[in-house]
mmCIF file with all atom_site columns, all heavy atoms in Angstrom:
data_model
loop_
_atom_site.group_PDB
_atom_site.id
_atom_site.type_symbol
_atom_site.label_atom_id
_atom_site.label_alt_id
_atom_site.label_comp_id
_atom_site.label_asym_id
_atom_site.label_entity_id
_atom_site.label_seq_id
_atom_site.pdbx_PDB_ins_code
_atom_site.Cartn_x
_atom_site.Cartn_y
_atom_site.Cartn_z
_atom_site.occupancy
_atom_site.B_iso_or_equiv
_atom_site.pdbx_formal_charge
_atom_site.auth_seq_id
_atom_site.auth_comp_id
_atom_site.auth_asym_id
_atom_site.auth_atom_id
_atom_site.pdbx_PDB_model_num
ATOM 1  N N   . HIS A 1 5  ? -0.567  10.696 1.690  1.00 76.00 ? 5  HIS A N   1
ATOM 2  C CA  . HIS A 1 5  ? -0.059  12.029 1.985  1.00 76.00 ? 5  HIS A CA  1
ATOM 3  C C   . HIS A 1 5  ? -1.126  12.777 2.783  1.00 76.00 ? 5  HIS A C   1
ATOM 4  O O   . HIS A 1 5  ? -2.317  12.543 2.598  1.00 76.00 ? 5  HIS A O   1
ATOM 5  C CB  . HIS A 1 5  ? 0.267   12.774 0.682  1.00 76.00 ? 5  HIS A CB  1
ATOM 6  C CG  . HIS A 1 5  ? 1.000   14.042 0.914  1.00 76.00 ? 5  HIS A CG  1
ATOM 7  N ND1 . HIS A 1 5  ? 0.357   15.228 1.114  1.00 76.00 ? 5  HIS A ND1 1
ATOM 8  C CD2 . HIS A 1 5  ? 2.330   14.302 1.017  1.00 76.00 ? 5  HIS A CD2 1
ATOM 9  C CE1 . HIS A 1 5  ? 1.247   16.183 1.322  1.00 76.00 ? 5  HIS A CE1 1
ATOM 10 N NE2 . HIS A 1 5  ? 2.460   15.637 1.270  1.00 76.00 ? 5  HIS A NE2 1
ATOM 11 N N   . VAL A 1 9  ? -5.936  13.021 3.183  1.00 96.00 ? 9  VAL A N   1
ATOM 12 C CA  . VAL A 1 9  ? -6.675  12.505 4.341  1.00 96.00 ? 9  VAL A CA  1
ATOM 13 C C   . VAL A 1 9  ? -8.159  12.865 4.271  1.00 96.00 ? 9  VAL A C   1
ATOM 14 O O   . VAL A 1 9  ? -9.012  12.013 4.518  1.00 96.00 ? 9  VAL A O   1
ATOM 15 C CB  . VAL A 1 9  ? -6.037  12.982 5.659  1.00 96.00 ? 9  VAL A CB  1
ATOM 16 C CG1 . VAL A 1 9  ? -6.915  12.637 6.856  1.00 96.00 ? 9  VAL A CG1 1
ATOM 17 C CG2 . VAL A 1 9  ? -4.648  12.366 5.833  1.00 96.00 ? 9  VAL A CG2 1
ATOM 18 N N   . ASP A 1 34 ? -17.293 21.899 9.961  1.00 97.00 ? 34 ASP A N   1
ATOM 19 C CA  . ASP A 1 34 ? -18.280 21.968 11.042 1.00 97.00 ? 34 ASP A CA  1
ATOM 20 C C   . ASP A 1 34 ? -19.402 20.938 10.949 1.00 97.00 ? 34 ASP A C   1
ATOM 21 O O   . ASP A 1 34 ? -20.279 20.912 11.824 1.00 97.00 ? 34 ASP A O   1
ATOM 22 C CB  . ASP A 1 34 ? -18.910 23.368 11.075 1.00 97.00 ? 34 ASP A CB  1
ATOM 23 C CG  . ASP A 1 34 ? -17.890 24.445 11.384 1.00 97.00 ? 34 ASP A CG  1
ATOM 24 O OD1 . ASP A 1 34 ? -16.933 24.177 12.126 1.00 97.00 ? 34 ASP A OD1 1
ATOM 25 O OD2 . ASP A 1 34 ? -18.052 25.570 10.868 1.00 97.00 ? 34 ASP A OD2 1
ATOM 26 N N   . GLY A 1 51 ? -16.454 0.545  13.137 1.00 97.00 ? 51 GLY A N   1
ATOM 27 C CA  . GLY A 1 51 ? -16.236 0.304  11.721 1.00 97.00 ? 51 GLY A CA  1
ATOM 28 C C   . GLY A 1 51 ? -15.494 1.440  11.049 1.00 97.00 ? 51 GLY A C   1
ATOM 29 O O   . GLY A 1 51 ? -14.577 1.217  10.247 1.00 97.00 ? 51 GLY A O   1
ATOM 30 N N   . VAL A 1 52 ? -15.868 2.669  11.385 1.00 98.00 ? 52 VAL A N   1
ATOM 31 C CA  . VAL A 1 52 ? -15.203 3.838  10.808 1.00 98.00 ? 52 VAL A CA  1
ATOM 32 C C   . VAL A 1 52 ? -13.741 3.868  11.236 1.00 98.00 ? 52 VAL A C   1
ATOM 33 O O   . VAL A 1 52 ? -12.838 4.065  10.407 1.00 98.00 ? 52 VAL A O   1
ATOM 34 C CB  . VAL A 1 52 ? -15.926 5.146  11.215 1.00 98.00 ? 52 VAL A CB  1
ATOM 35 C CG1 . VAL A 1 52 ? -15.073 6.373  10.914 1.00 98.00 ? 52 VAL A CG1 1
ATOM 36 C CG2 . VAL A 1 52 ? -17.279 5.248  10.511 1.00 98.00 ? 52 VAL A CG2 1
ATOM 37 N N   . ILE A 1 62 ? -2.616  3.584  9.765  1.00 95.00 ? 62 ILE A N   1
ATOM 38 C CA  . ILE A 1 62 ? -2.362  4.126  11.105 1.00 95.00 ? 62 ILE A CA  1
ATOM 39 C C   . ILE A 1 62 ? -2.881  3.163  12.160 1.00 95.00 ? 62 ILE A C   1
ATOM 40 O O   . ILE A 1 62 ? -3.597  2.212  11.834 1.00 95.00 ? 62 ILE A O   1
ATOM 41 C CB  . ILE A 1 62 ? -3.031  5.511  11.299 1.00 95.00 ? 62 ILE A CB  1
ATOM 42 C CG1 . ILE A 1 62 ? -4.556  5.413  11.114 1.00 95.00 ? 62 ILE A CG1 1
ATOM 43 C CG2 . ILE A 1 62 ? -2.431  6.542  10.336 1.00 95.00 ? 62 ILE A CG2 1
ATOM 44 C CD1 . ILE A 1 62 ? -5.322  6.698  11.420 1.00 95.00 ? 62 ILE A CD1 1
ATOM 45 N N   . LEU A 1 74 ? -14.808 12.744 17.396 1.00 97.00 ? 74 LEU A N   1
ATOM 46 C CA  . LEU A 1 74 ? -15.925 12.266 16.578 1.00 97.00 ? 74 LEU A CA  1
ATOM 47 C C   . LEU A 1 74 ? -17.025 13.313 16.424 1.00 97.00 ? 74 LEU A C   1
ATOM 48 O O   . LEU A 1 74 ? -18.019 13.067 15.758 1.00 97.00 ? 74 LEU A O   1
ATOM 49 C CB  . LEU A 1 74 ? -16.526 11.006 17.207 1.00 97.00 ? 74 LEU A CB  1
ATOM 50 C CG  . LEU A 1 74 ? -15.581 9.812  17.328 1.00 97.00 ? 74 LEU A CG  1
ATOM 51 C CD1 . LEU A 1 74 ? -16.207 8.735  18.197 1.00 97.00 ? 74 LEU A CD1 1
ATOM 52 C CD2 . LEU A 1 74 ? -15.199 9.273  15.968 1.00 97.00 ? 74 LEU A CD2 1
ATOM 53 N N   . ALA A 1 84 ? -7.053  12.311 12.141 1.00 97.00 ? 84 ALA A N   1
ATOM 54 C CA  . ALA A 1 84 ? -6.484  11.370 11.173 1.00 97.00 ? 84 ALA A CA  1
ATOM 55 C C   . ALA A 1 84 ? -5.224  11.942 10.530 1.00 97.00 ? 84 ALA A C   1
ATOM 56 O O   . ALA A 1 84 ? -4.219  11.238 10.365 1.00 97.00 ? 84 ALA A O   1
ATOM 57 C CB  . ALA A 1 84 ? -7.521  11.027 10.100 1.00 97.00 ? 84 ALA A CB  1
ATOM 58 N N   . ARG A 1 85 ? -5.236  13.234 10.194 1.00 96.00 ? 85 ARG A N   1
ATOM 59 C CA  . ARG A 1 85 ? -4.078  13.872 9.574  1.00 96.00 ? 85 ARG A CA  1
ATOM 60 C C   . ARG A 1 85 ? -2.878  13.837 10.531 1.00 96.00 ? 85 ARG A C   1
ATOM 61 O O   . ARG A 1 85 ? -1.759  13.557 10.133 1.00 96.00 ? 85 ARG A O   1
ATOM 62 C CB  . ARG A 1 85 ? -4.413  15.314 9.185  1.00 96.00 ? 85 ARG A CB  1
ATOM 63 C CG  . ARG A 1 85 ? -3.402  15.954 8.273  1.00 96.00 ? 85 ARG A CG  1
ATOM 64 C CD  . ARG A 1 85 ? -3.816  17.340 7.793  1.00 96.00 ? 85 ARG A CD  1
ATOM 65 N NE  . ARG A 1 85 ? -5.069  17.317 7.051  1.00 96.00 ? 85 ARG A NE  1
ATOM 66 C CZ  . ARG A 1 85 ? -6.234  17.794 7.513  1.00 96.00 ? 85 ARG A CZ  1
ATOM 67 N NH1 . ARG A 1 85 ? -6.314  18.358 8.698  1.00 96.00 ? 85 ARG A NH1 1
ATOM 68 N NH2 . ARG A 1 85 ? -7.319  17.705 6.770  1.00 96.00 ? 85 ARG A NH2 1
ATOM 69 N N   . VAL A 1 88 ? -1.394  10.409 10.503 1.00 93.00 ? 88 VAL A N   1
ATOM 70 C CA  . VAL A 1 88 ? -0.657  10.136 9.260  1.00 93.00 ? 88 VAL A CA  1
ATOM 71 C C   . VAL A 1 88 ? 0.698   10.800 9.285  1.00 93.00 ? 88 VAL A C   1
ATOM 72 O O   . VAL A 1 88 ? 1.708   10.205 8.919  1.00 93.00 ? 88 VAL A O   1
ATOM 73 C CB  . VAL A 1 88 ? -1.485  10.595 8.028  1.00 93.00 ? 88 VAL A CB  1
ATOM 74 C CG1 . VAL A 1 88 ? -0.632  10.603 6.772  1.00 93.00 ? 88 VAL A CG1 1
ATOM 75 C CG2 . VAL A 1 88 ? -2.694  9.688  7.830  1.00 93.00 ? 88 VAL A CG2 1
ATOM 76 N N   . GLY A 1 90 ? 2.326   11.732 11.912 1.00 84.00 ? 90 GLY A N   1
ATOM 77 C CA  . GLY A 1 90 ? 3.138   11.150 12.969 1.00 84.00 ? 90 GLY A CA  1
ATOM 78 C C   . GLY A 1 90 ? 3.289   12.112 14.055 1.00 84.00 ? 90 GLY A C   1
ATOM 79 O O   . GLY A 1 90 ? 4.028   12.525 14.749 1.00 84.00 ? 90 GLY A O   1
#
Side-chain angles (χ1 to χ4, degrees):
H5 190 271
V9 171
D34 297 328
V52 166
I62 60 174
L74 299 169
R85 193 175 300 108
V88 168

